[in-house]
Structure formats: structure tokens, C-alpha cells
């Protein structure tokens, strides 16, 4: 079992920044990929970013590339999502997810095994 806890969400004005954190506990030695997804009211859940626990490979949604960056601290079992130049359309509930097996389907939500409770990000205009 793996437990995920997100933090760092909040209310910010357009153009501002937030850094989200996702702390993993439990059988963390089995983690292969950590991802961030988001869901706004009336919309489907969408992929934002992902990172491998081994190596330097990252995956970023095209619409946030250049504004968002994903990073990790393996010693702390924590992954981060740095969000700069935030826009109102970034408003959503942001979820951290963990994938326990190796595959290339890093942008597919059904490929992930564990999910956090979510942290709300609200960007005002």
C-alpha cells in the first residue's frame, strides 16, 4: 500500500505562483512514476505532468510547458509541481498519483494505482 498526501494549493491572483507537494509513504520502494492530474467542474480529469523516480525523464502537458515544472526529492519521497504565471484556466482540483509498474502510458489516468485526496488551486482574474 502507498499513501499520497498533497499540499500547497490555495487562492492566487493571475500571474502568481504556487508550489504543490506530494508526499508518499508506505511501500515507496515500489514507486515507478509519479504524476499530477487536474479536474475542473464540468470537465474531465486531465494529465498535467509526470516524473520517473529513476533517471531524469519528465513529461509535461503542452499547454503548461514553460510555466510548470515537475521535480522530485527521492530522500523525502516527495514530488513537486512548481506553477508560475498562473491563469484562471488553471483553476482545478489537483491530484497526485502513483504508478507502481513500468509502462509508457504516463498520461493515462487509469494506468495509475494510487491517488491522493487532491488540493484546490484557484486563480482569480
Amino acid at each position: 500500500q502507498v499513501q499520497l498526501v498533497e499540499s500547497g494549493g490555495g487562492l492566487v491572483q493571475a500571474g502568481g505562483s504556487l508550489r504543490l507537494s506530494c508526499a508518499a509513504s508506505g511501500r515507496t520502494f515500489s514507486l515507478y512514476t509519479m504524476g499530477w492530474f487536474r479536474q475542473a467542474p464540468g470537465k474531465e480529469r486531465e494529465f498535467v505532468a509526470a516524473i520517473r523516480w529513476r533517471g531524469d525523464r519528465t513529461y509535461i502537458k503542452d499547454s503548461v510547458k514553460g510555466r510548470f515544472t515537475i521535480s522530485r526529492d527521492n530522500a523525502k519521497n516527495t514530488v513537486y509541481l512548481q506553477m508560475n504565471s498562473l491563469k484562471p484556466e488553471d483553476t482545478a482540483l489537483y491530484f497526485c498519483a502513483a504508478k507502481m509498474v513500468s509502462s509508457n502510458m504516463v498520461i493515462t489516468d487509469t494506468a495509475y494505482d494510487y491517488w491522493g485526496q487532491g488540493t484546490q488551486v484557484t486563480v482569480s482574474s
Side-chain angles (χ1 to χ4, degrees), residues 1 4 17 20 28 31 36 42 46 56 58-59 63-65 70 77 82 87-88 91 97 99 101 115 117 122 125:
Q1 284 286 320
L4 305 175
S17 299
L20 306 184
T28 56
L31 293 174
W36 287 98
E46 65 177 356
D56 298 321
T58 61
Y59 311 83
S63 64
V64 304
K65 192 173 296 182
I70 188 169
N77 292 322
Q82 179 67 47
K87 303 175 180 180
T91 295
K99 190 156 71 75
V101 297
W115 294 81
Q117 294 295 108
T122 302
S125 60

Side-chain angles (χ1 to χ4, degrees), residues 38-46 89-93 120:
R38 67 186 183 185
Q39 187 168 27
K43 296 183 178 180
E44 63 183 5
R45 186 163 55 191
E46 65 177 356
E89 51 262 44
D90 295 318
T91 295
L93 186 64
Q120 179 67 40

Side-chain angles (χ1 to χ4, degrees), residues 3-17:
Q3 296 80 44
L4 305 175
V5 179
E6 305 100 330
S7 62
L11 175 64
V12 64
Q13 293 184 343
S17 299

Side-chain angles (χ1 to χ4, degrees), residues 52-84:
R52 305 287 193 187
W53 280 112
R54 300 290 182 268
D56 298 321
R57 192 165 188 173
T58 61
Y59 311 83
I60 304 291
K61 179 180 174 67
D62 287 342
S63 64
V64 304
K65 192 173 296 182
R67 298 189 296 120
F68 292 9
T69 58
I70 188 169
S71 61
R72 67 174 187 265
D73 186 336
N74 293 73
K76 297 181 179 179
N77 292 322
T78 300
V79 64
Y80 305 96
L81 184 68
Q82 179 67 47
M83 305 185 294
N84 299 325

